[in-house]
Amino acid sequence: MSGTSRQVSIQPQLWVDRAADAVAFYEAAFGAVVLHRVGEGQEIVAQLAVGDAAFWVASASSALRRFSPAALDGATGRMLLLVDHPEAVVRQAVIAGASELMPVGDEHGWRLGRIRDPFGHEWEIGKPHAEWPPT
């Protein structure tokens, strides 16, 4: 990418069985803001942002081989959400319907907790104790 000044970012897409319900959960749990949304009912694709972090939510589709965690009876990865107050965000997510997998605590130089959202996706919510990445 020499000679360009484009910003590069990764924006994961989460596949869920009830996409509109997932959007509502992420708004309530993380304070997500919908940046873009197409489709109707539960059959939508939406781009959300939590602070400067953007991600997508879309309807799962066995025909397209896009499976939700429920279809797999498990998850294939975990999202890490960096926040200033992990305890407050974990508490807010649990109130919104998430399951706490690990309470917020200190681990490997981080203050973090783990949740599973109502759609089966796992999240770590935390912040590093020192500047990250370490030098």
Side-chain angles (χ1 to χ4, degrees):
M1 294 193 359
S2 62
T4 66
S5 60
R6 284 189 319 157
Q7 179 182 354
V8 176
S9 67
I10 294 175
Q11 296 184 7
Q13 186 174 85
L14 302 177
W15 297 324
V16 296
D17 292 326
R18 300 177 329 274
D21 292 346
V23 168
F25 168 79
Y26 298 127
E27 288 174 315
F30 303 144
V33 175
V34 176
L35 302 177
H36 178 74
R37 181 180 181 140
V38 295
E40 294 186 26
Q42 295 294 342
E43 298 297 318
I44 64 165
V45 175
Q47 182 187 33
L48 297 103
V50 179
D52 293 334
F55 66 102
W56 294 78
V57 172
S59 300
S61 168
S62 59
L64 295 174
R65 303 196 50 76
R66 296 178 179 165
F67 301 106
S68 70
L72 301 172
D73 194 27
T76 60
R78 181 185 296 142
M79 302 285 282
L80 172 59
L81 180 61
L82 300 176
V83 298
D84 290 331
H85 304 288
E87 291 86 354
V89 175
V90 167
R91 187 171 39 254
Q92 185 174 322
V94 169
I95 289 168
S99 301
E100 185 177 65
L101 300 175
M102 184 188 87
V104 175
D106 296 321
E107 182 178 328
H108 306 295
W110 287 70
R111 182 96 182 131
L112 54 83
R114 292 185 183 95
I115 64 161
R116 180 177 294 115
D117 70 30
F119 310 93
H121 294 286
E122 292 187 19
W123 295 77
E124 279 189 334
I125 300 171
K127 68 177 184 176
H129 284 301
E131 187 172 328
W132 193 264
T135 53

